[in-house]
Amino acid sequence: MFVFFRRLKALKQTFKLPLLTVLLVGIASLLWGLHTVTTQTATSDKDDASLLEAFRHVEVASVSDALEQVVGKKMYMTHRMRPIFPSKFAGVALTVHLKKEENDDPAALNGMLSAIDAGQKNSVWVMVVDDGADIAGMGGLMGTAMSARNYAGAVIDGGVRDVAYLQKIGFPVYALGIVPSTSVHHYRFAGANVPVICDGVTVNPGDIVVADADGVAVVPRGAAEKTLALAQQLDYKEHSMYAIIEKAKSIVEAVKQVGRL
Protein backbone atom coordinates (compact mmCIF):
# COMPACT_ATOMS: atom_id res chain seq x y z
CA MET A 1 0.00 0.00 0.00
CA PHE A 2 2.91 2.37 0.77
CA VAL A 3 4.32 1.68 -2.72
CA PHE A 4 0.87 2.39 -4.20
CA PHE A 5 0.68 5.89 -2.65
CA ARG A 6 4.31 6.61 -3.55
CA ARG A 7 3.48 5.87 -7.18
CA LEU A 8 0.44 8.15 -6.98
CA LYS A 9 2.67 10.98 -5.75
CA ALA A 10 5.11 10.40 -8.60
CA LEU A 11 2.24 10.37 -11.10
CA LYS A 12 0.93 13.69 -9.75
CA GLN A 13 4.37 15.31 -9.96
CA THR A 14 5.06 14.00 -13.46
CA PHE A 15 1.82 15.07 -15.09
CA LYS A 16 0.82 18.00 -12.77
CA LEU A 17 -2.62 16.44 -12.30
CA PRO A 18 -5.13 17.39 -9.57
CA LEU A 19 -4.97 15.09 -6.55
CA LEU A 20 -8.53 13.78 -7.09
CA THR A 21 -7.74 12.80 -10.67
CA VAL A 22 -4.58 11.03 -9.57
CA LEU A 23 -6.49 9.16 -6.88
CA LEU A 24 -9.20 8.07 -9.32
CA VAL A 25 -6.63 6.87 -11.83
CA GLY A 26 -4.74 5.01 -9.12
CA ILE A 27 -7.84 3.35 -7.72
CA ALA A 28 -8.95 2.28 -11.20
CA SER A 29 -5.51 0.80 -11.81
CA LEU A 30 -5.59 -1.04 -8.50
CA LEU A 31 -9.07 -2.45 -9.16
CA TRP A 32 -8.02 -3.59 -12.64
CA GLY A 33 -5.00 -5.35 -11.15
CA LEU A 34 -7.20 -7.17 -8.64
CA HIS A 35 -9.61 -8.10 -11.43
CA THR A 36 -6.74 -9.49 -13.50
CA VAL A 37 -5.44 -11.63 -10.60
CA THR A 38 -8.95 -12.94 -9.87
CA THR A 39 -9.54 -13.74 -13.54
CA GLN A 40 -6.19 -15.54 -13.82
CA THR A 41 -6.96 -17.60 -10.69
CA ALA A 42 -10.42 -18.52 -11.98
CA THR A 43 -8.93 -19.49 -15.35
CA SER A 44 -6.26 -21.59 -13.64
CA ASP A 45 -8.88 -23.41 -11.54
CA LYS A 46 -10.97 -24.05 -14.66
CA ASP A 47 -7.94 -25.36 -16.53
CA ASP A 48 -7.08 -27.71 -13.65
CA ALA A 49 -10.66 -29.00 -13.52
CA SER A 50 -10.64 -29.65 -17.27
CA LEU A 51 -7.29 -31.42 -17.02
CA LEU A 52 -8.51 -33.70 -14.23
CA GLU A 53 -11.73 -34.45 -16.10
CA ALA A 54 -9.68 -35.50 -19.14
CA PHE A 55 -7.45 -37.76 -17.03
CA ARG A 56 -10.58 -39.48 -15.67
CA HIS A 57 -11.35 -40.64 -19.20
CA VAL A 58 -8.04 -42.31 -20.01
CA GLU A 59 -6.79 -45.65 -18.75
CA VAL A 60 -4.08 -45.66 -16.09
CA ALA A 61 -2.15 -48.19 -18.17
CA SER A 62 -1.98 -45.65 -21.00
CA VAL A 63 -0.94 -42.92 -18.56
CA SER A 64 1.79 -45.20 -17.20
CA ASP A 65 3.09 -45.95 -20.71
CA ALA A 66 2.98 -42.28 -21.62
CA LEU A 67 4.90 -41.34 -18.48
CA GLU A 68 7.75 -43.69 -19.39
CA GLN A 69 8.09 -41.86 -22.71
CA VAL A 70 7.56 -38.32 -21.42
CA VAL A 71 9.32 -38.44 -18.04
CA GLY A 72 11.71 -41.26 -18.84
CA LYS A 73 11.01 -43.37 -15.77
CA LYS A 74 8.37 -45.57 -14.17
CA MET A 75 5.79 -43.59 -12.21
CA TYR A 76 3.37 -46.35 -11.22
CA MET A 77 2.91 -48.03 -7.86
CA THR A 78 3.44 -51.74 -7.34
CA HIS A 79 0.95 -54.60 -7.37
CA ARG A 80 0.69 -54.22 -3.60
CA MET A 81 -1.29 -50.98 -3.92
CA ARG A 82 -4.86 -52.21 -4.36
CA PRO A 83 -8.35 -50.66 -4.02
CA ILE A 84 -10.81 -51.60 -1.29
CA PHE A 85 -13.47 -51.65 -4.03
CA PRO A 86 -13.34 -51.06 -7.82
CA SER A 87 -12.52 -47.39 -8.32
CA LYS A 88 -11.44 -44.87 -10.91
CA PHE A 89 -10.39 -41.33 -10.09
CA ALA A 90 -7.98 -38.50 -10.85
CA GLY A 91 -7.04 -35.70 -8.50
CA VAL A 92 -4.34 -33.47 -7.07
CA ALA A 93 -1.91 -34.90 -4.52
CA LEU A 94 -2.14 -33.71 -0.92
CA THR A 95 0.81 -35.51 0.66
CA VAL A 96 1.15 -36.54 4.32
CA HIS A 97 3.93 -38.36 6.16
CA LEU A 98 3.68 -40.27 9.44
CA LYS A 99 6.87 -41.34 11.17
CA LYS A 100 7.11 -44.33 13.49
CA GLU A 101 7.38 -43.28 17.12
CA GLU A 102 5.92 -44.84 20.25
CA ASN A 103 4.38 -42.02 22.29
CA ASP A 104 1.72 -40.99 24.82
CA ASP A 105 1.23 -37.59 23.22
CA PRO A 106 -2.48 -36.93 22.49
CA ALA A 107 -1.44 -34.27 19.97
CA ALA A 108 0.97 -36.48 18.02
CA LEU A 109 -1.39 -36.80 15.03
CA ASN A 110 -3.16 -33.45 15.21
CA GLY A 111 -1.29 -32.18 12.16
CA MET A 112 -2.71 -35.05 10.13
CA LEU A 113 -6.27 -34.08 11.06
CA SER A 114 -5.62 -30.42 10.28
CA ALA A 115 -4.24 -31.44 6.88
CA ILE A 116 -7.50 -33.24 6.08
CA ASP A 117 -9.53 -30.14 6.92
CA ALA A 118 -7.26 -28.02 4.70
CA GLY A 119 -7.78 -30.21 1.66
CA GLN A 120 -9.78 -28.93 -1.30
CA LYS A 121 -12.15 -30.50 -3.82
CA ASN A 122 -10.40 -33.05 -6.07
CA SER A 123 -7.58 -33.62 -3.57
CA VAL A 124 -6.07 -37.10 -3.38
CA TRP A 125 -4.85 -37.96 0.11
CA VAL A 126 -1.42 -39.53 -0.43
CA MET A 127 -0.21 -40.82 2.92
CA VAL A 128 3.08 -42.53 3.69
CA VAL A 129 3.10 -44.51 6.94
CA ASP A 130 6.68 -45.55 7.66
CA ASP A 131 6.92 -49.35 7.84
CA GLY A 132 3.14 -49.32 7.99
CA ALA A 133 1.88 -52.26 5.93
CA ASP A 134 0.18 -53.58 9.06
CA ILE A 135 -0.86 -50.19 10.44
CA ALA A 136 -4.13 -48.54 9.37
CA GLY A 137 -3.19 -45.11 8.13
CA MET A 138 -6.84 -44.15 7.82
CA GLY A 139 -10.33 -45.41 8.52
CA GLY A 140 -13.98 -44.43 8.44
CA LEU A 141 -13.75 -41.11 10.29
CA MET A 142 -10.96 -39.73 8.12
CA GLY A 143 -12.67 -41.09 5.00
CA THR A 144 -15.94 -39.39 5.97
CA ALA A 145 -14.15 -36.04 6.37
CA MET A 146 -12.43 -36.45 3.00
CA SER A 147 -15.68 -37.43 1.32
CA ALA A 148 -17.47 -34.43 2.85
CA ARG A 149 -14.75 -32.16 1.43
CA ASN A 150 -15.11 -33.77 -2.02
CA TYR A 151 -11.71 -35.43 -2.16
CA ALA A 152 -11.21 -37.61 -5.22
CA GLY A 153 -9.80 -40.50 -3.17
CA ALA A 154 -6.92 -41.68 -1.02
CA VAL A 155 -3.71 -43.64 -1.60
CA ILE A 156 -2.10 -45.07 1.53
CA ASP A 157 1.41 -46.51 1.71
CA GLY A 158 0.19 -48.44 4.71
CA GLY A 159 -3.02 -50.15 5.73
CA VAL A 160 -6.66 -49.12 5.88
CA ARG A 161 -9.52 -50.11 8.20
CA ASP A 162 -13.28 -49.53 8.57
CA VAL A 163 -13.53 -50.81 5.02
CA ALA A 164 -17.23 -51.71 5.26
CA TYR A 165 -18.06 -48.12 6.15
CA LEU A 166 -15.79 -46.66 3.46
CA GLN A 167 -17.54 -48.90 0.95
CA LYS A 168 -20.92 -47.76 2.30
CA ILE A 169 -20.14 -44.07 1.70
CA GLY A 170 -18.39 -44.89 -1.58
CA PHE A 171 -15.07 -43.27 -0.75
CA PRO A 172 -12.28 -44.85 -2.85
CA VAL A 173 -9.09 -45.89 -1.08
CA TYR A 174 -6.01 -47.68 -2.38
CA ALA A 175 -3.78 -49.22 0.28
CA LEU A 176 -1.23 -51.96 0.89
CA GLY A 177 -3.76 -54.02 2.83
CA ILE A 178 -6.72 -54.13 5.17
CA VAL A 179 -5.84 -54.29 8.88
CA PRO A 180 -7.69 -53.50 12.14
CA SER A 181 -4.78 -51.68 13.82
CA THR A 182 -4.34 -48.01 14.74
CA SER A 183 -1.57 -45.46 14.29
CA VAL A 184 -2.47 -43.70 17.57
CA HIS A 185 0.39 -43.89 20.12
CA HIS A 186 2.60 -45.57 17.50
CA TYR A 187 3.15 -42.75 15.00
CA ARG A 188 3.70 -39.02 14.87
CA PHE A 189 2.72 -36.54 12.17
CA ALA A 190 5.88 -35.60 10.25
CA GLY A 191 4.55 -33.18 7.65
CA ALA A 192 1.96 -32.32 5.03
CA ASN A 193 2.40 -31.06 1.48
CA VAL A 194 5.97 -32.31 1.44
CA PRO A 195 7.63 -34.61 -1.12
CA VAL A 196 7.07 -38.27 -0.20
CA ILE A 197 7.92 -41.65 -1.66
CA CYS A 198 4.69 -43.63 -1.82
CA ASP A 199 5.15 -47.33 -2.63
CA GLY A 200 8.36 -46.50 -4.46
CA VAL A 201 7.06 -43.49 -6.42
CA THR A 202 8.05 -39.90 -5.68
CA VAL A 203 4.95 -37.77 -5.14
CA ASN A 204 5.12 -34.00 -4.84
CA PRO A 205 2.25 -31.81 -3.63
CA GLY A 206 0.18 -30.80 -6.63
CA ASP A 207 1.10 -33.82 -8.78
CA ILE A 208 -1.81 -35.55 -10.49
CA VAL A 209 -2.70 -38.99 -9.14
CA VAL A 210 -4.71 -41.32 -11.36
CA ALA A 211 -6.17 -44.68 -10.36
CA ASP A 212 -8.31 -47.41 -11.86
CA ALA A 213 -8.56 -51.21 -11.84
CA ASP A 214 -4.99 -51.53 -13.12
CA GLY A 215 -3.46 -49.53 -10.26
CA VAL A 216 -2.10 -46.08 -9.46
CA ALA A 217 0.18 -43.74 -11.42
CA VAL A 218 1.56 -40.32 -10.53
CA VAL A 219 1.91 -37.56 -13.12
CA PRO A 220 4.36 -34.75 -12.29
CA ARG A 221 2.43 -31.50 -12.63
CA GLY A 222 4.90 -30.04 -15.10
CA ALA A 223 4.46 -33.01 -17.46
CA ALA A 224 0.69 -33.32 -17.12
CA GLU A 225 -0.47 -31.83 -20.43
CA LYS A 226 2.08 -33.70 -22.52
CA THR A 227 1.43 -36.97 -20.68
CA LEU A 228 -2.33 -36.60 -21.12
CA ALA A 229 -2.05 -35.97 -24.86
CA LEU A 230 0.11 -39.05 -25.39
CA ALA A 231 -2.08 -41.22 -23.12
CA GLN A 232 -5.14 -40.22 -25.16
CA GLN A 233 -3.33 -41.27 -28.34
CA LEU A 234 -2.36 -44.61 -26.81
CA ASP A 235 -5.91 -45.19 -25.64
CA TYR A 236 -7.25 -44.49 -29.11
CA LYS A 237 -4.79 -46.85 -30.81
CA GLU A 238 -5.46 -49.69 -28.38
CA HIS A 239 -9.23 -49.35 -28.54
CA SER A 240 -9.05 -49.27 -32.33
CA MET A 241 -7.15 -52.54 -32.34
CA TYR A 242 -9.82 -54.52 -30.48
CA ALA A 243 -12.25 -54.51 -33.44
CA ILE A 244 -9.47 -55.39 -35.90
CA ILE A 245 -8.35 -58.34 -33.76
CA GLU A 246 -11.90 -59.63 -33.42
CA LYS A 247 -12.56 -59.36 -37.14
CA ALA A 248 -9.22 -60.69 -38.39
CA LYS A 249 -8.73 -63.06 -35.45
CA SER A 250 -5.13 -61.87 -35.48
CA ILE A 251 -3.18 -59.52 -33.24
CA VAL A 252 -0.37 -59.51 -35.83
CA GLU A 253 -2.76 -58.04 -38.39
CA ALA A 254 -3.89 -55.40 -35.89
CA VAL A 255 -0.29 -54.35 -35.26
CA LYS A 256 0.30 -54.15 -39.02
CA GLN A 257 -2.64 -51.81 -39.45
CA VAL A 258 -2.31 -49.64 -36.34
CA GLY A 259 1.29 -50.06 -35.27
CA ARG A 260 2.79 -51.18 -32.00
CA LEU A 261 1.72 -49.45 -28.84
Side-chain angles (χ1 to χ4, degrees), residues 47-61:
D47 290 345
D48 285 348
S50 298
L51 187 67
L52 292 177
E53 183 61 22
F55 268 111
R56 294 185 187 109
H57 288 85
V58 293
E59 296 179 10
V60 171

Side-chain angles (χ1 to χ4, degrees), residues 135-195:
I135 296 292
M138 69 170 286
L141 297 178
M142 291 170 62
T144 298
M146 294 175 199
S147 179
R149 297 189 66 82
N150 294 312
Y151 279 49
V155 178
I156 314 295
D157 191 340
V160 61
R161 69 181 189 177
D162 301 331
V163 170
Y165 189 77
L166 292 169
Q167 290 175 335
K168 179 181 177 181
I169 65 174
F171 186 72
V173 179
Y174 281 68
L176 300 185
I178 299 170
V179 288
S181 56
T182 180
S183 58
V184 177
H185 300 309
H186 306 299
Y187 282 81
R188 182 177 293 277
F189 172 73
N193 283 317
V194 294

Side-chain angles (χ1 to χ4, degrees), residues 32 117 157 165 232:
W32 176 253
D117 286 356
D157 191 340
Y165 189 77
Q232 289 171 329

Side-chain angles (χ1 to χ4, degrees), residues 241-261:
M241 293 175 75
Y242 290 136
I244 298 173
I245 293 171
E246 289 175 352
K247 183 177 180 180
K249 297 181 175 57
S250 168
I251 190 171
V252 172
E253 181 59 30
V255 170
K256 283 181 181 178
Q257 291 188 37
V258 180
R260 294 189 63 85
L261 293 176

Side-chain angles (χ1 to χ4, degrees), residues 45 74 77 95 106 129 147 218 224 243 248:
D45 290 344
K74 298 177 181 178
M77 296 185 191
T95 60
V129 184
S147 179
V218 178

